[in-house]
Amino acid sequence: MAPRANWKGFLRLSLVTCPVALYPATSESEKISFNQLNRQTGHRVKYLKVDADTGDEVPNEDIVKGYQLEKDQFIEVTKEELEEIALESTRTIEIDEFVDKADIDPRYLIRPYYIRPDGKVGHDAFAVIRETIREMNKVAIGRVVLTNREHIIALEPMDKGLVGTLLRYPYEVRSEQEYFEEIQDVKVTKDMLDLAKHIVNQKAGRFDPEKFEDHYETALIDLINQKRAGKPITPKSKPTTGNVVDLMEALRRSVGQEAAPAKAEKPAKKGRKASAGQKEMLMPIEGKKPKQAAGKKATARPQRKSA
């Protein structure tokens, strides 16, 4: 069963309309998370909303939004006033235009969502919109209101559904000139480029996210398992790297390093999904079998305890 939808409404292309639901395409719930504790008691720390001057706790019904003009001067805005200016497009993704995917600057991308028909009706209209975008090899640009704000959304077909990616507005993207203006103009020689291209060719491959492992997440799991088992935590020695001053020499060494026999290196470790790592961490320490004896995967997943 699919998770609960973040948004439900209608997808509209001119006079063609169908009910749709929008779901987050990514999740970070499998990552290790921590609670803040009182070191003295071991109890969780709770946050209270208090008046900055009096220190008294303020109930939710007495809290309003305020825009700061200058220090200690605010303009209060009520919930009713915000509802009064609510946009009419709160329940419709209106497709405004179609663009080439290459036209969308990656800096404007925020987050992806899955979009599918909502309910048993509207599948025909949804299919027409999806296949039109697919056949034209375009990206549909529309607008959607989430959490009271209107967002630009880019729609692309994926399998039987659509992927909608929220886009930033121009005022949210910083100019690159603020950061690149002081970069020196350097003339790169052909010999350096040839060596660098050789390194690139040796490392060429096909992007496969399964090959990558979140090493920090793995280290967190190992740390928590060690602490649960009562093992001492000893700091690891940090690797040292030689400082190669000559750029040409560094490129030559890199070419030699990449061309070294495969047997001299450890085999590439296939990335482990966060969910698998979480399951391993949650296994009772005393019940874990040695690696060489482990044959079957655990079928039960114990409840997670706070770290």
Side-chain angles (χ1 to χ4, degrees), residues 35-269:
N35 294 310
Q36 292 188 323
L37 307 177
N38 182 338
R39 186 195 298 271
Q40 303 297 327
T41 64
H43 301 156
R44 288 184 59 180
V45 174
K46 185 172 71 171
Y47 289 92
L48 300 176
K49 296 178 180 179
V50 299
D51 188 295
D53 290 337
T54 67
D56 298 332
E57 185 176 354
V58 182
N60 287 333
E61 59 267 22
D62 291 338
I63 297 177
V64 296
K65 295 181 182 295
Y67 176 80
Q68 185 173 0
L69 291 176
E70 52 187 68
K71 186 178 180 181
D72 297 329
Q73 186 178 358
F74 299 88
I75 293 180
E76 291 187 8
V77 180
T78 66
K79 181 180 178 182
E80 291 72 24
E81 289 170 336
L82 290 174
E83 290 176 350
E84 192 68 26
I85 64 169
L87 299 169
E88 296 180 359
S89 56
T90 52
R91 282 289 168 260
T92 304
I93 299 176
E94 185 83 38
I95 297 178
D96 296 323
E97 61 179 347
F98 295 85
V99 303
D100 293 331
K101 187 172 184 177
D103 291 343
I104 302 177
D105 189 322
R107 293 176 298 176
Y108 285 80
L109 305 178
I110 301 179
R111 76 180 67 89
Y113 288 89
Y114 293 136
I115 300 174
R116 71 174 193 183
D118 183 33
K120 296 181 179 180
V121 299
H123 285 251
D124 291 345
F126 183 87
V128 169
I129 296 173
R130 180 196 64 214
E131 293 309 309
T132 301
I133 300 173
R134 196 194 307 273
E135 288 294 321
M136 298 296 292
N137 196 25
K138 296 284 187 178
V139 176
I141 303 296
R143 291 162 288 132
V144 63
V145 174
L146 297 173
T147 60
N148 297 326
R149 279 190 175 271
E150 188 175 57
H151 299 268
I152 312 168
I153 188 167
L155 306 174
E156 300 177 76
M158 175 178 281
D159 195 24
K160 295 189 294 183
L162 292 170
V163 172
T165 304
L166 296 189
L167 304 178
R168 294 181 173 89
Y169 287 99
Y171 70 85
E172 298 178 279
V173 178
R174 293 176 176 176
S175 170
E176 70 278 5
Q177 293 304 319
E178 299 177 41
Y179 309 93
F180 298 164
E181 189 174 359
E182 296 180 4
I183 297 178
Q184 298 177 9
D185 291 324
V186 177
K187 179 67 175 178
V188 180
T189 66
K190 184 178 182 304
D191 289 342
M192 287 184 176
L193 275 178
D194 288 342
L195 285 170
K197 290 178 181 178
H198 189 67
I199 297 170
V200 172
N201 288 331
Q202 289 175 323
K203 286 180 170 287
R206 181 179 176 274
F207 178 70
D208 178 9
E210 293 293 333
K211 294 189 298 186
F212 298 96
E213 178 182 356
D214 187 340
H215 293 98
Y216 182 69
E217 185 78 3
T218 302
L220 281 177
I221 293 170
D222 292 340
L223 172 64
I224 293 172
N225 276 331
Q226 289 182 56
K227 292 182 76 72
R228 287 184 64 182
K231 295 180 181 179
I233 307 300
T234 55
K236 296 180 181 178
S237 58
K238 295 183 179 179
T240 57
T241 56
N243 185 21
V244 181
V245 179
D246 186 90
L247 180 56
M248 197 67 177
E249 179 62 21
L251 288 168
R252 289 195 182 100
R253 288 192 190 181
S254 298
V255 170
Q257 179 179 311
E258 296 304 323
K263 64 180 180 180
E265 299 179 358
K266 293 182 179 180
K269 187 176 182 181

